């Protein structure tokens, strides 16, 4: 590989650096997560800037630098610019890319995850950004090898359909009320588990047809939050801000 | 790596490295520049830092940096107090003033909402903004945050927050390219942005 290389990249973080530069975190199809510096892009005259905005899907030409690689050309494939016209979608999108950033180590390519992220950003523009986030969370877990076991109680094999279950982050799946040892947190109904299975198996473009009740949404959100925090070992900062902003 | 230097030099390098955009190499270069410069220059710099720190505070009305409180903008009775321009940083007030387009008052947020950095409205001067708007004559708020994700999130949030109070919320947008910082825009671009403001 020479000094110049091309990537198909999603901009998942852009931090101001120096006078007019930005340090970008890119999630690329070819190399997974990498960092690069985009020089002068905070000036209105910069020709790179269109392709290095947050959430943009771009083709970038990178130059291998001594410490950080340098963006030398950018071409926007899709800007997802309309995400920035609605507060709720914008904050959900921020949450989604922060979660990705936390979950993946540097330079570990995962083409399926790259495509899932792009598709999720596109679907965020639709009617149910919350459900899209839940789908992204559970697919992220699946693609990173943390897929929860959802076919029945992990211990006694009791099947879904009746009764209450609990999502056990440590065990990596659901357990029935009898086997749960009298716990109360992370309660999850059979209906919600069914929704989780569907979010994993359905064509993502069809998930809006799922009927998910407000109670199921709360269960789903809580259960996945605990599961993610257990396996990622980090709290997603955007989520707190997200909740505060959406309330008003 | 700085153990090779006498303690006071190492400490100076350490302090310089805390400045934004200054890495270890630049910090060493700056430190030796200061040590080689005439003593009065170095002492002058140190004194002006102390002086600025001690004399400059946030205006209790608009949160701009000022020597007297309230600041000169807030005290200026010739400025229109029915229109308020909201910016991220004190330097953006200067950029706005250079356009000579705006004759209202200001409010400085000291940042922008950034979910990824865990920065919500509580970390900004939003509460101060709400309390100054209570019973004020302000009927229009122009949101002049930077045209990037954080600036847009902040603008959308303020629109949601202020509209129920019966205040018209407008956003400068036209003329400013997406993703840049306000301080780098030229006067013509900024003046255009003002003409093209729209309700959000
Ligand atoms: Zn069981
Ligand atoms: Zn003031």
């Amino acid at each position: 590989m020479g000094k110049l290389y091309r990537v198909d990249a999603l901009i998942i973080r852009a931090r101001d650096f120096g006078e007019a530069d930005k340090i970008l975190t890119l999630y690329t199809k070819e190399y997974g997560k990498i960092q690069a510096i985009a020089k002068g892009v905070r000036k209105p005259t910069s020709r790179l800037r269109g392709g290095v905005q947050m959430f943009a899907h771009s083709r970038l030409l990178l130059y291998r630098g001594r410490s950080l690689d340098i963006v030398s050309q950018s071409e926007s494939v899709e800007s997802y610019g309309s995400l920035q016209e609605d507060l709720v979608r914008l904050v959900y999108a921020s949450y989604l890319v922060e979660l990705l950033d936390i979950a993946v180590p540097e330079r570990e390519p995962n083409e399926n995850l790259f495509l899932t992220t792009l598709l999720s950003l596109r679907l965020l523009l639709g009617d149910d950004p919350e459900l899209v986030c839940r789908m992204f969370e559970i697919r992220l877990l699946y693609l990173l090898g943390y897929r929860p076991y959802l076919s029945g109680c992990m211990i006694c094999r009791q099947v879904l359909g009746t009764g209450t279950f609990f999502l056990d982050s440590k065990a990596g799946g659901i357990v029935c009320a009898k086997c749960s040892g009298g716990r109360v947190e992370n309660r999850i109904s059979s209906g919600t588990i069914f929704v989780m299975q569907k979010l994993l198996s359905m064509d993502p473009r069809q998930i809006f047809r799922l009927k998910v009740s407000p109670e199921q949404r709360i269960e789903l959100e809580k259960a996945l939050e605990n599961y993610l925090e257990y396996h990622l070992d980090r709290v997603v900062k955007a989520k707190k801000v997200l909740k505060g902003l959406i309330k008003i | 790596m700085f153990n090779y230097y006498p303690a006071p030099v190492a400490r100076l390098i350490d302090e310089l490295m805390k400045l934004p955009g200054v890495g270890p190499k630049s910090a060493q270069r700056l430190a030796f520049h200061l040590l080689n410069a005439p003593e009065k220059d170095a002492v002058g710099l140190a004194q002006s830092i102390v002086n600025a720190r001690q004399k400059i505070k946030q205006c209790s009305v608009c949160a701009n940096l000022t020597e007297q409180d309230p600041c000169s903008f807030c005290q200026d009775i010739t400025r229109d107090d029915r229109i308020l321009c909201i910016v991220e940083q004190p330097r953006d007030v200067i950029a706005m003033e250079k356009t000579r387009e705006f004759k209202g008052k200001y409010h400085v947020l000291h940042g922008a909402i950034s979910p990824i950095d865990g920065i919500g409205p509580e970390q900004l001067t939003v509460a101060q903004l709400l309390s100054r708007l209570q019973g004020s004559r302000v009927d229009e708020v122009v949101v002049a945050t930077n045209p990037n994700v954080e600036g847009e999130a902040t603008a959308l949030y303020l629109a949601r927050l202020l509209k129920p109070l019966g205040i018209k919320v407008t956003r400068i947008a036209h003329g400013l390219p997406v993703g840049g910082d306000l301080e780098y825009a030229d006067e013509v671009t900024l003046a255009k942005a003002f003409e093209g403001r729209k309700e959000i």
Side-chain angles (χ1 to χ4, degrees):
Chain A
M1 208 158 28
K3 280 230 160 199
L4 280 169
Y5 64 106
R6 263 173 215 289
V7 288
D8 200 0
L10 181 69
I11 318 298
I12 63 171
R13 192 145 192 206
R15 274 166 301 158
D16 288 354
F17 182 77
E19 286 275 308
D21 307 343
K22 276 190 188 272
I23 292 183
L24 308 175
T25 304
L26 310 171
Y27 192 60
T28 67
K29 189 161 89 183
E30 297 84 354
Y31 307 101
K33 183 169 78 174
I34 55 177
Q35 310 256 350
I37 185 164
K39 295 194 170 168
V41 287
R42 279 151 64 206
K43 293 182 184 161
T45 48
S46 163
R47 278 189 291 171
L48 284 179
R49 56 188 296 149
V52 300
Q53 298 305 310
M54 274 296 285
F55 312 124
H57 173 206
S58 304
R59 290 193 216 294
L60 304 178
L61 187 63
L62 301 182
Y63 180 83
R64 218 173 288 283
R66 254 180 308 170
S67 50
L68 273 175
D69 292 356
I70 301 156
V71 181
S72 73
Q73 279 174 39
S74 81
E75 178 202 342
S76 171
V77 179
E78 178 147 18
S79 71
Y80 297 104
S82 40
L83 280 174
Q84 300 198 17
E85 286 161 20
D86 176 81
L87 182 64
V88 173
R89 289 181 175 78
L90 175 58
V91 182
Y92 272 118
S94 304
Y95 165 70
L96 198 144
V97 297
E98 188 196 351
L99 185 60
L100 177 71
D101 190 9
I102 288 173
V104 298
E106 290 211 4
R107 296 198 181 261
E108 250 178 48
N110 187 331
E111 191 171 336
N112 273 330
L113 184 51
F114 177 77
L115 296 173
T116 299
T117 310
L118 286 183
L119 183 58
S120 301
L121 282 180
R122 189 167 315 135
L123 292 175
L124 275 186
L125 297 170
D127 291 333
D128 196 344
E130 185 194 359
L131 196 61
V132 173
C133 265
R134 297 294 93 82
M135 180 196 76
F136 179 76
E137 289 170 339
I138 194 160
R139 289 190 178 218
L140 176 81
L141 287 166
Y142 168 69
L143 291 166
L144 295 176
Y146 301 125
R147 178 188 187 165
Y149 180 84
L150 300 171
S151 308
C153 174
M154 290 185 82
I155 297 164
C156 73
R157 302 286 157 188
Q158 183 190 313
V159 291
L160 292 178
T162 50
T164 305
F165 288 82
F166 297 86
L167 184 62
D168 188 329
S169 305
K170 198 174 163 195
I174 51 170
V175 290
C176 74
K178 242 189 301 156
C179 300
S180 73
R183 74 158 80 208
V184 283
E185 75 277 12
N186 280 338
R187 191 186 166 283
I188 192 162
S189 62
S190 289
T192 306
I193 298 167
F194 178 72
V195 172
M196 286 172 92
Q197 291 176 339
K198 281 285 177 196
L199 288 176
L200 266 171
S201 61
M202 253 177 127
D203 176 347
R205 280 159 292 222
Q206 305 293 317
I207 62 162
F208 304 112
R209 295 189 180 174
L210 277 176
K211 289 207 168 37
V212 190
S213 70
E215 296 76 30
Q216 288 175 335
R217 281 171 191 266
I218 294 167
E219 277 186 11
L220 198 57
E221 198 255 325
K222 229 27 253 159
L224 281 168
E225 180 176 281
N226 285 317
Y227 201 84
L228 283 162
E229 278 175 11
Y230 179 83
H231 288 282
L232 302 181
D233 223 18
R234 291 258 297 275
V235 177
V236 188
K237 279 181 282 178
K239 198 147 188 185
K240 204 181 109 228
V241 180
L242 183 103
K243 285 180 177 166
L245 289 180
I246 288 171
K247 258 181 224 138
I248 64 154
Chain B
M1 132 189 220
F2 306 126
N3 294 344
Y4 305 116
Y5 299 123
V9 180
R11 165 123 196 268
L12 176 59
I13 294 173
D14 261 357
E15 293 299 325
L16 288 167
M17 267 170 58
K18 292 179 188 164
L19 297 172
V22 178
K25 286 217 177 84
S26 316
Q28 288 178 70
R29 200 161 36 89
L30 290 169
F32 284 104
H33 172 81
L34 290 168
L35 293 171
N36 291 324
E39 186 168 348
K40 69 168 174 39
D41 288 3
V43 171
L45 173 65
Q47 271 166 356
S48 62
I49 293 173
V50 172
N51 214 14
R53 270 310 298 214
Q54 287 174 345
K55 290 209 172 126
I56 299 297
K57 49 190 168 281
Q58 276 189 24
C59 170
S60 58
V61 180
C62 71
N64 199 1
L65 296 179
T66 177
E67 205 173 338
Q68 87 255 35
D69 185 19
C71 73
S72 56
F73 292 109
C74 291
Q75 284 190 12
D76 187 347
I77 50 163
T78 67
R79 298 189 79 102
D80 187 351
D81 61 0
R82 285 164 305 182
I83 179 163
L84 199 65
C85 179
I86 301 189
V87 294
E88 291 181 18
Q89 300 296 344
R91 59 175 186 252
D92 299 330
V93 172
I94 311 293
M96 279 294 164
E97 281 300 290
K98 281 192 192 156
T99 71
R100 299 176 192 281
E101 228 10 75
F102 182 67
K103 297 281 176 260
K105 305 248 172 167
Y106 289 102
H107 193 84
V108 182
L109 293 171
H110 292 278
I113 292 173
S114 176
I116 291 177
D117 298 308
I119 299 174
E122 316 79 51
Q123 277 83 37
L124 310 174
T125 61
V126 172
Q128 191 174 333
L129 172 67
L130 276 178
S131 74
R132 79 181 278 198
L133 287 173
Q134 298 294 330
S136 77
R137 297 194 335 132
V138 175
D139 56 21
E140 181 180 351
V141 160
V142 186
V143 186
T145 50
N146 284 326
N148 53 29
V149 172
E150 295 80 16
E152 292 305 328
T154 310
L156 292 167
Y157 171 79
L158 290 173
R160 270 199 187 200
L161 190 71
L162 301 181
K163 270 189 190 165
L165 307 179
I167 296 169
K168 184 173 163 195
V169 182
T170 54
R171 171 90 172 110
I172 58 157
H174 194 77
L176 281 179
V178 172
D181 276 15
L182 210 60
E183 59 173 326
Y184 287 106
D186 59 274
E187 281 90 305
V188 181
T189 308
L190 267 179
K192 275 239 164 65
F194 249 99
E195 284 167 33
R197 70 175 185 263
K198 59 175 187 189
E199 197 166 351
I200 48 177

